[in-house]
Amino acid sequence: MEGKHFTRDDKGVPQFTDLGRKEAQPTYVFLGGRPIAADYVAFPDAVRGSVGWQNASFKYIEKTPLDGIRDQRPSRMAGLQIPTEDKFTDIMRGRRPVSDVKQIVAEWRRDGGDEAREFYMKVLRDNGRA
């Protein structure tokens, strides 16, 4: 609310008040997949530059073998992904030693990773990509 959570500077750019910084932080805006508009109002060419960069970079995006294929992976496989990624994140952040990689892969294979590999190979074969 203007006057309570923010005021405008001499250029009309909203600036948080102390109460605004405390109560109105856009904590989850990143979930919407778009930048916070207030970040750009002070820089009139920022949006144009950002969109130009994004459009120019699209031609360099590499497609994955599964692009354009809709599949429903079994829940066991879906439940395996996040814990495995978390273990690798722990290695990258120094919370686990690099030597744990072989153990993580063995656990992934044991808990359904090999099934996931076969599932996705079938999806690719069924769609003429393998």
Side-chain angles (χ1 to χ4, degrees):
M1 173 184 289
E2 188 166 2
K4 181 176 180 182
H5 293 103
F6 73 94
T7 57
R8 295 184 187 273
D9 65 14
D10 57 343
K11 293 182 180 177
V13 178
Q15 302 294 324
F16 276 122
T17 62
D18 288 339
L19 182 62
R21 277 188 288 283
K22 184 177 180 181
E23 293 183 354
Q25 282 298 308
T27 306
Y28 297 104
V29 173
F30 68 91
L31 294 174
R34 60 182 185 253
I36 301 169
D39 290 348
Y40 289 113
V41 293
F43 308 101
D45 294 327
V47 172
R48 186 176 297 110
S50 177
V51 170
W53 178 85
Q54 290 177 37
N55 289 339
S57 68
F58 286 153
K59 62 184 171 188
Y60 299 106
I61 295 174
E62 293 187 24
K63 291 188 175 195
T64 70
L66 294 167
D67 276 354
I69 298 175
R70 184 178 172 94
D71 64 83
Q72 181 66 43
R73 67 181 159 175
S75 59
R76 179 175 179 201
M77 292 174 205
L80 182 61
Q81 180 177 346
I82 299 300
T84 303
E85 288 175 355
D86 287 348
K87 292 173 187 175
F88 281 108
T89 298
D90 286 345
I91 290 173
M92 290 185 287
R93 301 228 171 127
R95 295 187 292 252
R96 288 180 73 155
V98 175
S99 60
D100 280 1
V101 168
K102 288 182 180 181
Q103 176 189 345
I104 293 168
V105 171
E107 291 169 358
W108 174 81
R109 293 183 76 178
R110 179 197 68 214
D111 295 341
D114 285 335
E115 291 173 48
R117 184 187 330 234
E118 287 304 314
F119 171 79
Y120 284 111
M121 285 306 297
K122 182 179 181 325
V123 169
L124 291 173
R125 280 192 299 274
D126 290 350
N127 287 276
R129 295 194 186 171

